[in-house]
Amino acid sequence: MFMKKIFLLLVFSLLGIAVFAEDVVAYYSMSFLSEKDLKIEASEPKNGEFTYYIEIQGEHLSDKVYMSIESSKIQSFRGTLGVIREKYNEWCQVAKDNNITDMNKEFPYKIYDVSYAWYSSKWWFSLKYTLTPRFIIFDDGTMGVSIYKKAVSRTNEYIDQKTYFILKSIEEIDKLIEGTNPQIVYDYYNNKSSREDLFQ
C-alpha cells in the first residue's frame, strides 16, 4: 500500500511537470533584476499556433514566473514594443536634455492579451490582462520600461503573484523583440522534428 502511494505521488508529480514542458527557443536580458539571461519558451506549434512563455521576475528570486502570450497576439506585442522603444529613446533624451532625474509616467501604448503562469507548489495560470508600461527614472539615474502586475489565479482568487518586468536599454528591448520572432519557433521545432526522424 505504501509503495502504491509513492508510485501515485511520483506519477502526479511528473504530470505536473509535463503540464509546463515547453522548450527554450531564445533568451533576452533584464539586467535590472537579474545578471543571467531570461528564457523565452514556446510550446510546439499545432496548426501553426503556439504559446510563448517569457520568463520574468516574481516576488522572490526563486519564483518561476512567466508572461504568457498566444502566437496570434505576438505580432501586436512586438509592434507595441517597437513603438515603446522609440518613445523610450525620445523620453530618455528629453530627460537628459532637461536634467530630469525623477519621473514615473505611463507610455501612451498598451499591451493586450497577456496572461501569467507561475509555480507555487503547482502551476497557476491567470486570466488575460491589458498592461500599461511605464517610463521610470530610477534612483541611480538609469531609465527603464517597467510593467508591474499583480496576477491572480483564474481558478483561485486567493492565489496571486506580484510580477516585475523592467527593460533598461534599447538593446534589451531589441533582444526581446528579436527573441519573439515566430520564425524562430517554427525553425526550432522543425529542426527538432528532423533530428528525431533520424532515429526510426
Side-chain angles (χ1 to χ4, degrees):
M1 187 65 176
F2 176 74
M3 290 302 293
K4 185 177 180 181
K5 287 182 178 178
I6 293 293
F7 176 75
L8 288 173
L9 182 62
L10 180 60
V11 167
F12 285 125
S13 297
L14 289 173
L15 284 173
I17 293 170
V19 167
F20 199 77
E22 318 305 337
D23 284 8
V24 177
V25 296
Y27 293 89
Y28 79 106
S29 302
M30 193 161 57
S31 59
F32 181 74
L33 297 172
S34 175
E35 292 301 317
K36 66 181 180 69
D37 282 344
L38 298 172
K39 295 177 288 187
I40 300 173
E41 302 184 24
S43 60
E44 185 172 2
K46 302 293 183 188
N47 299 317
E49 300 295 320
F50 59 90
T51 302
Y52 278 103
Y53 295 92
I54 301 169
E55 185 180 13
I56 59 172
Q57 184 57 56
E59 295 177 52
H60 310 288
L61 288 176
S62 59
D63 289 348
K64 293 180 181 179
V65 184
Y66 297 82
M67 291 172 63
S68 170
I69 305 170
E70 300 299 322
S71 58
S72 61
K73 306 295 183 181
I74 201 63
Q75 294 300 6
S76 173
F77 174 79
R78 297 175 77 228
T80 302
L81 282 181
V83 293
I84 287 172
R85 176 194 189 278
E86 298 308 313
K87 184 60 71 174
Y88 167 77
N89 193 39
E90 175 190 329
W91 283 358
C92 284
Q93 193 59 52
V94 169
K96 291 173 184 175
D97 291 346
N98 293 278
N99 297 316
I100 297 171
T101 58
D102 181 23
M103 182 59 61
N104 186 331
K105 179 179 175 61
E106 288 185 0
F107 283 99
Y109 314 107
K110 296 187 184 298
I111 296 175
Y112 297 95
D113 298 312
V114 175
S115 299
Y116 290 85
W118 67 94
Y119 189 81
S120 176
S121 75
K122 70 173 187 175
W123 282 104
W124 298 95
F125 299 89
S126 77
L127 295 171
K128 291 181 179 178
Y129 295 102
T130 296
L131 307 177
T132 304
R134 304 187 71 86
F135 174 77
I136 296 181
I137 302 177
F138 297 96
D139 291 341
D140 63 358
T142 59
M143 305 174 208
V145 177
S146 173
I147 298 173
Y148 165 78
K149 185 66 183 177
K150 185 176 181 180
V152 177
S153 166
R154 65 183 176 217
T155 57
N156 187 333
E157 63 181 299
Y158 300 105
I159 302 295
D160 56 43
Q161 174 71 238
K162 295 175 184 175
T163 69
Y164 304 89
F165 173 81
I166 299 172
L167 302 174
K168 292 187 68 176
S169 69
I170 292 293
E171 291 73 24
E172 290 185 2
I173 299 171
D174 285 344
K175 197 167 183 181
L176 181 55
I177 293 173
E178 292 162 8
T180 51
N181 182 340
Q183 193 60 49
I184 293 173
V185 179
Y186 298 131
D187 289 346
Y188 172 85
Y189 279 104
N190 285 337
N191 291 336
K192 182 179 179 180
S193 178
S194 297
R195 292 193 303 270
E196 290 174 353
D197 288 345
L198 295 173
F199 297 90
Q200 297 293 330

